[in-house]
């Protein structure tokens, strides 16, 4: 079994190019964000070297993340400790809200519309990129839109993006059901749903064999090291798709949406290997004050609260 899991891990790593900054962002977001967000550089190497990622790969990646403002560094003697920066905390929280959702958001049929006519060319480009990452689609050259949900706080979002002077915000109803077909076509194009569906399909094809492998053995027959490696790769590949997914309500999605299947698959695998993976991270990681703290209660609300609290 362990040999089969090793083969799967190597196959997954080889299946797509892996960016160091992206992989380590996945590691921080999944394993460290709710545990203080700080770790010794040497601990990162201990976690990743057995997977074939060198010390140089790790050092270069965390240095870039620090330069980009995602991480802060503290040096104590010859040791460097990297922690999630204040800016990074905000980004990780937003990402977590998308990655670990239990289901599609509820929708009351209303829309948030942002008109960017007042922005100059460079500002439009910046805002479109930021807003796309936050789930907005482009309806035309100056109009961004998103289905409204209970978690929407567009004025706060615009303030965080320094866009209050360059975006006009409308909160709109959609009362006319006869144009529903045209709306779905517009939505599919504005959010590139076919492309996102294909990426979800690739994720399902890659990780469905792992779900079958895990069913063949008990928890005791799967090493904590492999559980960590599998969980990191699972979330890394899932994250790459989900962060591009606008998480539209079911009413606007095609039937048989691949994202539903992918979420169910990811949740089941994550739940199976999470406890041993968390213990492994505890054993391998050091902070400026010693051991990592236990995960916060928010950690166990991931995927709708399916995880088991090992401290309970």
């Amino acid at each position: 079994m362990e040999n089969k899991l090793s083969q799967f891990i190597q196959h997954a790593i080889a299946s797509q190019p892996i960016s160091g900054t992206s992989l380590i962002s996945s590691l921080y977001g999944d394993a460290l964000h709710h545990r203080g967000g700080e770790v010794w550089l040497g601990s990162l190497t201990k976690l990743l070297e057995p997977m074939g990622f060198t010390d140089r790969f790790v050092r270069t990646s965390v240095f870039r993340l620090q330069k980009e403002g995602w991480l802060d560094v503290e040096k104590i003697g010859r040791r460097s400790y990297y922690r999630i920066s204040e800016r990074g905390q905000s980004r990780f929280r937003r990402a977590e809200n998308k990655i670990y959702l239990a289901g599609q958001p509820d929708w009351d049929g209303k829309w948030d519309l942002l008109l960017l006519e007042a922005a100059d060319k460079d500002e439009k480009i910046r805002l479109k990129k930021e807003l796309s990452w936050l789930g907005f689609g482009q309806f035309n050259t100056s109009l961004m839109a998103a289905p409204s949900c209970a978690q929407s706080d567009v004025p706060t979002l615009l303030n965080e993006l320094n866009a209050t002077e360059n975006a006009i915000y409308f909160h709109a109803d959609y009362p006319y059901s006869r144009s529903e077909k045209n709306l779905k076509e517009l939505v599919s194009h504005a959010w590139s749903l076919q492309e996102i569906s294909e990426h979800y399909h690739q994720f399902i094809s890659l990780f469905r064999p792992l779900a079958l492998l895990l069913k063949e053995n008990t928890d005791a027959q799967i090493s904590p090291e492999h559980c960590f490696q599998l969980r990191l790769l699972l979330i890394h590949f899932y994250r790459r798709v989900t962060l591009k997914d606008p998480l539209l309500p079911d009413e606007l999605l095609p039937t048989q949406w691949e994202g539903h299947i992918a979420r169910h698959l990811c949740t089941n695998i994550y739940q199976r290997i999470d406890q041993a993976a968390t213990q492994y991270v505890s054993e391998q990681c050091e902070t400026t004050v010693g051991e990592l703290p236990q995960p916060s209660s928010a950690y166990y609300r991931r995927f709708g609260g399916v995880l088991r609290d090992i401290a309970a």
Side-chain angles (χ1 to χ4, degrees), residues 4 7 11 18 25 28 37 53 68 103 116 118 199 206 212 265:
K4 289 182 179 179
Q7 290 173 358
H11 168 68
I18 292 180
S25 292
Y28 266 89
F53 300 106
E68 292 170 6
L116 306 180
H199 287 312
L206 179 60
L212 298 175
L265 175 64

Side-chain angles (χ1 to χ4, degrees), residues 243-312:
L243 292 184
K244 296 176 182 177
D245 185 349
L247 297 175
L248 298 172
D250 287 329
E251 294 92 331
L252 297 172
L253 290 172
T255 55
Q256 301 295 318
W257 177 238
E258 296 275 12
H260 293 159
I261 302 168
R263 181 187 294 118
H264 184 69
L265 175 64
C266 183
T267 301
N268 286 343
I269 295 174
Y270 198 98
Q271 182 178 24
R272 174 69 191 277
I273 60 181
D274 171 68
Q275 190 171 28
T278 300
Q279 291 173 329
Y280 183 76
V281 170
S282 297
E283 293 165 1
Q284 300 299 315
C285 290
E286 297 177 45
T287 73
T288 52
V289 293
E291 297 180 356
L292 280 174
Q294 288 298 316
S296 67
S297 59
Y299 177 88
Y300 297 101
R301 293 197 290 268
R302 290 176 170 181
F303 297 116
V306 300
L307 306 182
R308 295 169 290 179
D309 188 341
I310 59 176

Side-chain angles (χ1 to χ4, degrees), residues 7-247:
Q7 290 173 358
F8 174 84
I9 289 165
Q10 292 309 310
H11 168 68
I13 291 171
S15 67
Q16 296 179 30
I18 292 180
S19 154
T21 54
S22 181
L23 182 68
I24 289 179
S25 292
S26 297
L27 194 160
Y28 266 89
D30 186 61
L32 302 172
H33 182 218
H34 286 294
R35 306 190 67 175
E38 175 194 271
V39 73
W40 172 44
L41 176 62
S43 298
L44 294 175
T45 300
K46 286 169 68 177
L47 289 173
L48 293 176
E49 246 182 357
M51 301 173 70
F53 300 106
T54 65
D55 177 66
R56 182 175 181 178
F57 173 95
V58 174
R59 288 177 181 273
T60 300
S61 301
V62 295
F63 178 76
R64 287 176 179 166
L65 288 169
Q66 181 205 351
K67 289 297 182 184
E68 292 170 6
W70 289 81
L71 300 177
D72 291 330
V73 63
E74 180 178 356
K75 294 185 181 294
I76 300 179
R78 299 179 63 183
R79 288 190 166 199
S80 296
Y81 297 84
Y82 286 86
R83 69 172 60 88
I84 300 172
S85 67
E86 185 175 342
R87 175 192 172 196
Q89 288 284 357
S90 176
R91 290 293 186 101
F92 277 115
R93 280 193 298 270
R94 286 180 186 165
E96 175 151 338
N97 288 338
K98 296 188 73 172
I99 295 167
Y100 302 100
L101 273 182
Q104 301 299 114
D106 294 329
W107 187 43
D108 61 5
K110 292 182 170 60
W111 288 82
D112 291 322
L113 305 177
L114 294 174
L115 189 62
L116 306 180
E117 287 283 359
D120 62 29
K121 182 180 177 181
D122 290 341
E123 181 66 358
K124 265 187 188 177
I125 292 172
R126 180 186 77 86
L127 288 176
K128 286 176 182 179
K129 182 178 179 181
E130 292 278 2
L131 290 167
S132 294
W133 194 81
L134 294 168
F136 280 78
Q138 184 174 331
F139 275 10
N140 63 36
T141 55
S142 296
L143 183 63
M144 304 291 287
S148 184
C149 65
Q151 288 74 37
S152 296
D153 187 354
V154 177
T156 298
L157 171 64
L158 292 175
N159 186 57
E160 290 177 358
L161 295 177
N162 296 316
T164 52
E165 299 297 322
N166 292 319
I168 302 173
Y169 169 44
F170 300 93
H171 191 60
D173 286 322
Y174 172 65
Y176 191 58
S177 61
R178 288 198 177 184
S179 58
E180 192 167 311
K181 180 182 177 183
N182 289 335
L183 175 63
K184 277 199 169 186
E185 290 175 358
L186 175 62
V187 164
S188 180
H189 176 72
W191 278 280
S192 304
L193 293 186
Q194 181 59 40
E195 181 181 345
I196 294 170
S197 179
E198 289 170 2
H199 287 312
Y200 272 131
H201 183 76
Q202 292 170 7
F203 172 84
I204 294 163
S205 298
L206 179 60
F207 282 94
R208 187 173 271 157
L210 174 60
L212 298 175
L213 271 178
L214 294 174
K215 285 182 179 179
E216 296 176 4
N217 287 264
T218 65
D219 291 354
Q221 293 173 300
I222 308 170
S223 72
E225 181 178 19
H226 274 155
C227 286
F228 162 75
Q229 293 171 357
L230 292 168
R231 191 183 71 175
L232 175 59
L233 292 172
L234 176 78
I235 286 300
H236 179 65
F237 283 100
Y238 185 64
R239 168 182 175 269
R240 289 171 66 172
V241 188
T242 305
L243 292 184
K244 296 176 182 177
D245 185 349
L247 297 175

